[in-house]
Coordinates of all heavy atoms in Angstrom, one line a residue:
I913 N 79.4 -20.1 -29.4 CA 78.9 -19.8 -28.1 C 79.9 -19.7 -27.0 O 79.6 -19.3 -25.8 CB 77.8 -20.9 -27.6 CG1 78.5 -22.2 -27.3 CG2 76.8 -21.1 -28.7 CD1 77.6 -23.2 -26.6
D914 N 81.2 -19.9 -27.4 CA 82.3 -19.7 -26.4 C 82.6 -18.3 -26.1 O 83.3 -18.0 -25.1 CB 83.6 -20.4 -27.0 CG 83.4 -21.9 -27.1 OD1 82.6 -22.5 -26.4 OD2 84.0 -22.5 -28.0
S915 N 82.2 -17.4 -26.9 CA 82.5 -15.9 -26.7 C 81.3 -15.1 -26.6 O 80.2 -15.5 -27.1 CB 83.4 -15.4 -27.8 OG 84.6 -16.2 -28.0
D916 N 81.4 -13.9 -26.0 CA 80.3 -13.0 -26.0 C 80.1 -12.4 -27.4 O 81.0 -12.4 -28.2 CB 80.6 -11.9 -25.0 CG 80.7 -12.3 -23.6 OD1 80.2 -13.5 -23.3 OD2 81.2 -11.6 -22.7
I917 N 78.8 -12.0 -27.6 CA 78.5 -11.5 -28.9 C 78.1 -10.0 -28.8 O 77.3 -9.6 -27.8 CB 77.3 -12.2 -29.5 CG1 77.6 -13.7 -29.7 CG2 76.8 -11.6 -30.8 CD1 76.4 -14.6 -30.0
E918 N 78.6 -9.2 -29.6 CA 78.2 -7.7 -29.6 C 78.2 -7.2 -31.0 O 79.0 -7.4 -31.8 CB 79.3 -7.0 -28.7 CG 78.9 -5.5 -28.6 CD 79.8 -4.8 -27.6 OE1 80.2 -5.3 -26.6 OE2 80.2 -3.6 -28.0
F919 N 77.1 -6.4 -31.2 CA 77.0 -5.7 -32.5 C 76.0 -4.5 -32.4 O 75.3 -4.4 -31.4 CB 76.4 -6.7 -33.6 CG 75.1 -7.2 -33.3 CD1 73.9 -6.6 -33.8 CD2 74.9 -8.4 -32.6 CE1 72.7 -7.1 -33.6 CE2 73.7 -8.9 -32.4 CZ 72.5 -8.3 -32.8
S920 N 76.1 -3.6 -33.3 CA 75.3 -2.4 -33.3 C 74.4 -2.3 -34.5 O 74.9 -2.7 -35.6 CB 76.1 -1.2 -33.1 OG 76.9 -1.2 -31.9
I921 N 73.3 -1.7 -34.4 CA 72.4 -1.4 -35.6 C 71.9 0.0 -35.5 O 71.9 0.6 -34.4 CB 71.2 -2.4 -35.7 CG1 70.3 -2.2 -34.5 CG2 71.7 -3.8 -35.8 CD1 69.0 -3.0 -34.6
V922 N 71.6 0.6 -36.6 CA 71.0 2.0 -36.6 C 69.7 1.8 -37.2 O 69.5 1.3 -38.3 CB 71.9 2.9 -37.4 CG1 71.2 4.3 -37.5 CG2 73.3 3.1 -36.8
T923 N 68.7 2.3 -36.5 CA 67.3 2.2 -37.0 C 66.8 3.5 -37.6 O 67.4 4.6 -37.4 CB 66.3 1.9 -35.8 OG1 66.4 2.9 -34.8 CG2 66.7 0.6 -35.2
G924 N 65.8 3.4 -38.4 CA 65.1 4.5 -39.1 C 63.8 4.9 -38.4 O 63.6 4.6 -37.2
E925 N 62.9 5.4 -39.2 CA 61.6 5.9 -38.6 C 60.6 4.7 -38.4 O 59.9 4.7 -37.5 CB 61.0 7.0 -39.5 CG 59.7 7.6 -39.0 CD 59.9 8.3 -37.7 OE1 61.0 8.8 -37.5 OE2 58.9 8.4 -36.9
N926 N 60.6 3.8 -39.4 CA 59.6 2.7 -39.4 C 60.3 1.4 -38.9 O 61.0 0.8 -39.6 CB 59.0 2.5 -40.8 CG 58.0 1.4 -40.8 OD1 57.5 0.9 -39.7 ND2 57.6 0.9 -41.9
I927 N 59.9 1.0 -37.6 CA 60.6 -0.1 -37.0 C 59.6 -1.2 -36.7 O 59.9 -2.2 -36.0 CB 61.4 0.3 -35.8 CG1 60.5 1.0 -34.8 CG2 62.6 1.1 -36.2 CD1 61.1 1.3 -33.5
E928 N 58.3 -1.0 -37.1 CA 57.3 -2.0 -36.7 C 57.7 -3.4 -37.2 O 57.9 -3.7 -38.4 CB 55.9 -1.6 -37.3 CG 54.8 -2.5 -36.9 CD 53.4 -2.0 -37.4 OE1 53.4 -0.9 -38.0 OE2 52.5 -2.7 -37.1
G929 N 57.7 -4.3 -36.3 CA 58.0 -5.7 -36.6 C 59.4 -6.1 -36.5 O 59.8 -7.2 -36.7
L930 N 60.3 -5.1 -36.2 CA 61.7 -5.4 -36.2 C 62.2 -6.0 -34.9 O 61.8 -5.5 -33.8 CB 62.5 -4.0 -36.5 CG 63.9 -4.1 -37.0 CD1 64.0 -4.7 -38.3 CD2 64.5 -2.7 -37.0
A931 N 63.0 -7.0 -34.9 CA 63.4 -7.7 -33.7 C 64.7 -8.4 -33.8 O 65.1 -8.8 -34.9 CB 62.3 -8.7 -33.3
V932 N 65.4 -8.5 -32.7 CA 66.6 -9.3 -32.6 C 66.2 -10.7 -32.2 O 65.4 -10.9 -31.2 CB 67.6 -8.7 -31.6 CG1 68.8 -9.7 -31.4 CG2 68.1 -7.4 -32.0
C933 N 66.7 -11.7 -32.9 CA 66.4 -13.1 -32.6 C 67.7 -13.9 -32.2 O 68.7 -13.8 -32.9 CB 65.7 -13.8 -33.8 SG 64.2 -13.1 -34.2
V934 N 67.6 -14.6 -31.1 CA 68.7 -15.5 -30.7 C 68.2 -16.9 -30.7 O 67.3 -17.3 -30.0 CB 69.2 -15.1 -29.2 CG1 70.4 -16.0 -28.8 CG2 69.6 -13.7 -29.1
Y935 N 68.8 -17.7 -31.6 CA 68.4 -19.1 -31.8 C 69.1 -20.1 -30.9 O 70.2 -19.9 -30.5 CB 68.6 -19.4 -33.3 CG 67.7 -18.7 -34.2 CD1 68.0 -17.4 -34.7 CD2 66.5 -19.3 -34.7 CE1 67.2 -16.7 -35.5 CE2 65.7 -18.6 -35.6 CZ 66.0 -17.3 -36.0 OH 65.2 -16.6 -36.8
A936 N 68.4 -21.2 -30.7 CA 68.9 -22.3 -29.8 C 69.8 -23.2 -30.7 O 69.7 -24.4 -30.6 CB 67.8 -23.1 -29.2
G937 N 70.7 -22.6 -31.4 CA 71.5 -23.3 -32.4 C 71.5 -22.6 -33.7 O 71.3 -21.4 -33.8
L938 N 71.8 -23.3 -34.8 CA 71.8 -22.7 -36.1 C 70.3 -22.5 -36.6 O 69.6 -23.5 -36.5 CB 72.6 -23.5 -37.1 CG 74.1 -23.7 -36.7 CD1 74.8 -24.5 -37.8 CD2 74.8 -22.3 -36.6
A939 N 70.0 -21.4 -37.1 CA 68.6 -21.2 -37.6 C 68.3 -22.2 -38.7 O 69.1 -22.4 -39.6 CB 68.5 -19.7 -38.2
G940 N 67.1 -22.8 -38.5 CA 66.7 -23.8 -39.5 C 67.1 -25.2 -39.0 O 66.7 -26.2 -39.6
K941 N 67.8 -25.3 -37.9 CA 68.3 -26.6 -37.4 C 68.2 -26.7 -35.9 O 69.1 -27.2 -35.2 CB 69.7 -26.9 -37.9 CG 69.9 -26.9 -39.4 CD 71.3 -27.2 -39.7 CE 71.5 -27.1 -41.3 NZ 73.0 -27.4 -41.6
T942 N 67.2 -26.1 -35.3 CA 67.1 -26.0 -33.8 C 66.3 -27.1 -33.1 O 66.0 -27.0 -31.9 CB 66.6 -24.6 -33.4 OG1 65.3 -24.5 -33.9 CG2 67.5 -23.5 -33.9
Q943 N 65.8 -28.1 -33.9 CA 64.9 -29.1 -33.3 C 65.6 -29.8 -32.1 O 66.8 -30.3 -32.3 CB 64.5 -30.2 -34.3 CG 63.7 -29.6 -35.5 CD 64.6 -29.4 -36.7 OE1 65.7 -29.0 -36.6 NE2 64.1 -29.8 -37.8
G944 N 65.0 -29.8 -31.0 CA 65.5 -30.5 -29.8 C 66.7 -29.9 -29.2 O 67.3 -30.5 -28.3
Q945 N 67.0 -28.7 -29.5 CA 68.2 -28.0 -28.9 C 67.7 -26.9 -28.0 O 66.6 -26.4 -28.1 CB 69.0 -27.4 -30.0 CG 69.7 -28.4 -31.0 CD 70.4 -27.8 -32.1 OE1 70.5 -26.6 -32.2 NE2 71.1 -28.6 -32.9

Side-chain angles (χ1 to χ4, degrees):
I913 70 169
D914 295 332
S915 304
D916 295 346
I917 299 169
E918 184 174 317
F919 61 93
S920 300
I921 63 176
V922 175
T923 60
E925 183 65 27
N926 180 13
I927 56 172
E928 186 174 354
L930 201 63
V932 174
C933 298
V934 181
Y935 289 82
L938 299 179
K941 300 178 181 179
T942 60
Q943 299 98 320
Q945 296 177 356

